[in-house]
Amino acid sequence: MSNFADFQNEIYLGGLGGVLPELPMTAAGLEARAERELERSAFAYVSGSASAERTASANRAAFDRYRIVPRMLRGTTGPGARDLSVEVLGTRLAAPVLTAPVGVLELMHEGGEVITAEVTGELGIGTVLSTAASTPMEEVGAVAGAWWYQLYWPSDDDLARSFVERAERAGASAIVVTVDTPTLGWRPRDLEVAHLPFLHGKGIANYLSDPVFLDRLAAPPHESQEAMQAAVLTWIGLFGNHTLRPADLAHLREWTDLPIAVKGILHPDDARQLVDAGADAVIVSNHGGRQVDGSIAAIDALPAVVATIGDRADVLFDSGVRTGSDMLIALALGAKAVLYGRPWVYGLGLAGRAGVRHALRLLLADFDSALGLSGCATPGDLNRSLIVTSR
Ligand code: FNR
């Protein structure tokens, strides 16, 4: 049974006359406050998208064209009436949400990945840990509840294999291969402040703690500044894999027994090829508009992918989710779960642990409320019949 929607009672009924929340109560409010309070280059890195940022805007605008047609008198609104839990890729979640993999969380808060893993564990949802994390995966795995490992497949298969085997040993329960970022998109906000965190040795903790990566270096990176610079140069050479093809999933399948999800898919033919090549799931995502500006809004790409492979593999979704209704729409269109991106990252930057918790509880409460008020008791009750498009 879920009681995420009780968050509002805490606020209205807390104390005698209600408790004013310390943080904004919307994702948009968190972003606005983050823009005011966070360091410029850190905010630029998180908020920035590719080029004119049309796809980032389209991700939001497209949601607005899908409308929910709620059902009434179904007994789904009372105490204990709903159960939000789901099982996705063999992972049990208290609600169909995982935090999206977001690299370089140290820009927001030291120990950001550990905090996020602990908070998601407390809430019973999942977290996807980025290859570009600021904390080695073993430290995160030691405190996390349900977590998946996101692989940026480097141009060195020994290193890729090492990452995957480390993740499995550290307790990850699925591997998410992100395929839309063999190289970074054109990101004016970062360019304007000439800031790429990796070149400052940030977001490469999983590399610096990897025996295969260390083996590629002439000297241990922490020995001197020159050695660290050499490590960063090695990282530049290894980060992207431009030769990766769907058939390479067969290697991943040899390296691990964990379920494999491929993230960054928009075209149904890509989804089909990847499922043919052995993917257990695809994640429809345009990386929050950070890669190809002008590309299709992620929610507009979801229905065709579900129609093409939904009977053979799970489809998950991210890019532009900001409210419970966004989540509801994505699930009603066939996603099994959503990955939640920027809003909790702003929460982390604004208020550390309390901020991540606040941002995630906003989404969960909003979704719980929207689900019940739409006449659904579980995420499994959601389907296309609850959605119309308004052009
Ligand atoms: C990301 N994203 C991302 N994805 C991934 O697979 N590995 C990564 O390391 C990162 N890093 C990252 C950093 C930052 C600052 C952002 C904003 C995003 C993409 C992320 O997982 C997700 O696809 C998007 O955040 C979804 O878009 P919205 O909903 O956050 O706008």
Side-chain angles (χ1 to χ4, degrees):
M1 289 311 153
S2 79
N3 54 1
F4 292 117
D6 282 352
F7 191 12
Q8 65 180 350
N9 295 334
E10 252 176 68
I11 293 172
Y12 292 139
L13 307 178
L16 287 178
V19 175
L20 278 186
E22 287 181 10
L23 290 166
M25 292 303 293
T26 61
L30 287 170
E31 177 170 359
R33 188 174 294 184
E35 182 163 19
R36 285 199 303 276
E37 293 186 9
L38 301 185
E39 209 223 312
R40 183 178 173 202
S41 61
F43 180 76
Y45 184 68
V46 176
S47 63
S49 290
S51 195
E53 305 193 340
R54 279 177 303 166
T55 293
S57 309
N59 283 339
R60 299 290 314 127
F63 266 113
D64 204 36
R65 292 195 296 272
Y66 295 91
R67 295 294 164 94
I68 303 161
V69 190
R71 304 297 305 272
M72 302 297 147
L73 305 178
R74 296 188 154 203
T76 56
T77 50
R82 294 178 301 284
D83 179 358
L84 270 54
S85 68
V86 292
E87 193 173 305
V88 193
L89 294 181
T91 301
R92 194 85 209 156
L93 302 172
V97 190
L98 304 99
T99 54
V102 171
V104 213
L105 288 181
E106 70 200 276
L107 293 176
M108 295 286 112
H109 198 284
E110 207 185 324
E113 290 85 5
V114 166
I115 289 173
T116 306
E118 286 175 345
V119 172
T120 50
E122 283 156 24
L123 293 170
I125 60 172
T127 186
V128 185
L129 180 72
S130 169
T131 289
S134 300
T135 314
M137 60 183 103
E138 289 78 7
E139 285 177 38
V140 178
V143 299
W147 70 284
W148 297 351
Y149 174 69
Q150 178 265 323
L151 177 69
Y152 276 135
W153 194 315
S155 60
D156 176 333
D157 273 2
D158 293 338
L159 180 58
R161 180 176 189 153
S162 178
F163 282 157
V164 169
E165 291 178 350
R166 285 173 61 194
E168 189 163 353
R169 275 198 304 275
S173 52
I175 303 293
V176 173
V177 191
T178 298
V179 294
D180 59 12
T181 310
T183 181
L184 293 183
W186 176 256
R187 300 186 187 161
R189 292 201 206 200
D190 292 330
L191 290 162
E192 274 166 7
V193 288
H195 176 237
L196 187 59
F198 311 104
L199 304 189
H200 303 275
K202 295 178 179 170
I204 61 172
N206 280 319
Y207 299 81
L208 298 181
S209 56
D210 193 278
V212 173
F213 185 80
L214 294 176
D215 213 39
R216 304 285 184 264
L217 304 176
H222 294 292
E223 205 160 76
S224 65
Q225 216 181 334
E226 292 73 41
M228 183 57 88
Q229 276 165 3
V232 168
L233 287 177
T234 303
W235 175 86
I236 293 173
L238 289 176
F239 172 75
N241 185 333
H242 307 290
T243 66
L244 208 60
R245 296 290 180 272
D248 292 313
L249 280 192
H251 300 299
L252 191 50
R253 190 47 91 204
E254 277 171 27
W255 302 337
T256 181
D257 294 328
L258 296 177
I260 297 168
V262 181
K263 173 172 180 281
I265 296 305
L266 296 166
H267 201 297
D269 290 347
D270 280 351
R272 185 188 297 111
Q273 281 179 20
L274 287 160
V275 174
D276 287 347
D280 300 295
V282 300
I283 304 176
V284 171
S285 164
N286 57 29
H287 215 105
R290 290 162 73 83
Q291 289 299 96
V292 181
D293 192 40
S295 67
I296 184 171
I299 197 70
D300 284 336
L302 179 62
V305 171
V306 170
T308 306
I309 53 127
D311 55 341
R312 293 196 288 148
D314 282 341
V315 181
L316 286 82
F317 175 83
D318 79 35
S319 296
V321 173
R322 297 292 179 270
T323 69
S325 292
D326 294 343
M327 228 181 112
L328 192 154
I329 290 165
L331 294 173
L333 293 178
K336 289 284 181 298
V338 300
L339 274 54
Y340 194 40
R342 290 173 169 114
W344 64 266
V345 183
Y346 297 132
L348 177 69
L350 289 169
R353 178 180 306 269
V356 175
R357 191 172 149 77
H358 178 86
L360 293 174
R361 290 185 77 203
L362 289 187
L363 180 75
L364 290 165
D366 192 4
F367 175 66
D368 191 12
S369 164
L371 188 77
L373 289 170
S374 297
C376 298
T378 71
D381 292 346
L382 291 166
N383 60 59
R384 193 74 180 71
S385 77
L386 291 162
I387 305 293
V388 292
T389 49
S390 67
R391 294 275 153 192

